[in-house]
Amino acid sequence: RNRIVGGMAVLRWGLGERGGGGVNDGDDGSAVLPRWHALSSAAVQIGIEIALSDSGSGGDPTGSGFGAGDDIGMIIDGGGDDADGTDGASSALSRRMKKIMTYVGPIVQHTAQRVCHLLVKAHERHSDDIKYKKKLSPLQVDLVEGMKQFISSVQHHVIAAMGKEDLSIIMAPSVGTFDLGSSTISVDIECMVAKSELSGASIASACRTALEGRDIALIETLARSMEGV
């Protein structure tokens, strides 16, 4: 049953996209579910596990557009140009990250677009409301804090999945004998995340794009907070 409902579908459902209109569906945010970020995070975590286990299985059960034709192998050549196998280890991490990000990348980018679209619409509705000039509406708080938690949790899922899946491959006897401590591996994975669509900088850029030239302090503040994630 985990293969029937993908992470993107749960995210869209949680953020109130009911009519098939994409980012612009349900502008008033009334259909946004409480704790949408927790539901979406759990679905994405399952989706990552499925994406990693589906190499060569055929089809695209995660709904990520990543099918058997895009299979990324797990075989590491311990010989090659680098006799100690470190090049092979790095290559394995890169291939695995590519596979995960093919699934996760569109989801996190859509999150930023949808959340910021709803924040823009909320700003437009409350622009003349003195009450909401002094404090945020419950929807605005839920969207801002939810997005922070969602992006942070997805980053954690990706780093955890990379470590779980790849350490066993990297340290396998067939790779050869070399010294690549866990701290080095962790740094490599975090660097890959920092250069991906899941990075704080990439999410912040998506937020600012959603502004379309508008001056909305809340979204700019959200973008700045994302840069630190």
Side-chain angles (χ1 to χ4, degrees):
R1 65 177 179 271
N2 290 336
R3 292 168 179 261
I4 296 174
V5 181
M8 182 69 87
V10 173
L11 173 74
R12 286 175 168 164
W13 174 63
L15 285 175
E17 296 178 43
R18 305 284 198 273
V23 170
N24 298 320
D25 189 25
D27 281 348
D28 64 359
S30 60
V32 173
L33 296 179
R35 295 187 58 75
W36 62 268
H37 49 90
L39 295 170
S40 302
S41 173
V44 169
Q45 183 177 24
I46 292 170
I48 290 172
E49 293 174 356
I50 294 174
L52 288 174
S53 66
D54 271 341
S55 58
S57 64
D60 183 18
T62 65
S64 65
F66 197 98
D70 300 301
D71 177 31
I72 299 175
M74 293 168 53
I75 300 174
I76 301 174
D77 181 3
D81 296 329
D82 188 355
D84 66 3
T86 54
D87 278 353
S90 178
S91 179
L93 286 173
S94 296
R95 291 196 299 271
R96 186 65 75 184
M97 178 59 83
K98 180 180 178 181
K99 189 169 188 179
I100 291 175
M101 288 310 304
T102 297
Y103 170 72
V104 170
I107 294 175
V108 295
Q109 291 294 309
H110 185 83
T111 303
Q113 293 165 10
R114 174 63 174 169
V115 165
C116 290
H117 173 77
L118 291 174
L119 289 174
V120 166
K121 294 303 178 182
H123 173 80
E124 291 174 351
R125 287 195 304 274
H126 301 311
S127 59
D128 296 325
D129 192 327
I130 296 176
K131 179 176 68 172
Y132 287 112
K133 286 184 178 180
K134 294 182 178 180
K135 67 175 184 178
L136 300 178
S137 70
L139 174 63
Q140 288 171 314
V141 172
D142 184 52
L143 290 171
V144 170
E145 296 304 319
M147 181 165 147
K148 292 177 184 178
Q149 292 181 39
F150 177 69
I151 297 300
S152 179
S153 66
V154 172
Q155 288 178 341
H156 173 77
H157 295 331
V158 169
I159 291 172
M162 287 286 289
K164 179 173 65 176
E165 296 293 334
D166 286 294
L167 284 179
S168 60
I169 300 170
I170 292 170
M171 305 311 291
S174 61
V175 174
T177 58
F178 59 93
D179 181 15
L180 186 58
S182 59
S183 61
T184 303
I185 295 169
S186 177
V187 169
D188 285 347
I189 294 172
E190 290 176 4
C191 285
M192 290 177 183
V193 170
K195 295 177 181 178
S196 72
E197 289 176 283
L198 186 51
S199 70
S202 179
I203 301 299
S205 176
C207 290
R208 292 189 173 106
T209 298
L211 280 171
E212 296 180 344
R214 302 178 186 88
D215 182 15
I216 302 177
L218 178 58
I219 295 180
E220 178 57 32
T221 299
L222 176 59
R224 290 178 182 175
S225 68
M226 285 292 100
E227 289 174 338
V229 173

